[in-house]
Amino acid sequence: MTSSNGSFKHESLEDPESIVRYFSALGTGFETGVLMFRADKRQLVLRPQGLINLVVEAKRKGAEIKLTLKLRWNEGPEDKEQKTKPLSIKALKKS
């Protein structure tokens, strides 16, 4: 079921290769302007456009690591003002 309003949440344990595939699909969706999330009979289609608010939060507490990415945008008039400095994310080789 696709709706213009609604929410979608999915939680699972995944290996790093699966995470890379999900991020690749997200990247493609942002390039094409359409993201479809589906699990079982639940489905939500999003159409990212304009400037997108990005929040990145990384935490380490002992052996527990948490990385949170939040993306937010409006499906309406575009806000052209960039409010923060650009972010740098680098992948490093294992040591």
Side-chain angles (χ1 to χ4, degrees):
M1 134 183 28
T2 302
S3 89
S4 59
N5 293 315
S7 64
F8 181 92
K9 182 174 182 178
H10 177 80
E11 187 171 335
S12 61
L13 291 174
E14 304 285 345
D15 59 35
E17 292 81 13
S18 296
I19 301 300
V20 168
R21 285 193 299 274
Y22 291 138
F23 279 125
S24 178
L26 286 169
T28 300
F30 277 100
E31 286 177 344
T32 64
V34 181
L35 291 163
M36 183 176 66
F37 299 89
R38 181 177 18 204
D40 301 320
K41 294 181 181 181
R42 298 171 297 128
Q43 178 175 305
L44 182 66
V45 176
L46 303 176
R47 301 183 189 285
Q49 61 186 16
L51 290 177
I52 298 167
N53 183 44
L54 170 65
V55 178
V56 177
E57 184 177 0
K59 293 182 180 181
R60 177 187 306 268
K61 188 174 184 180
E64 185 177 322
I65 309 298
K66 181 178 181 180
L67 173 62
T68 304
L69 302 171
K70 291 183 183 181
L71 303 155
R72 181 177 294 138
W73 64 90
N74 289 320
E75 292 182 344
E78 197 174 314
D79 180 9
K80 297 194 184 284
E81 182 182 335
Q82 185 175 1
K83 296 177 173 52
T84 59
K85 295 180 181 177
L87 169 69
S88 173
I89 299 175
K90 294 182 181 180
L92 304 176
K93 294 181 181 179
K94 287 184 181 181
S95 53

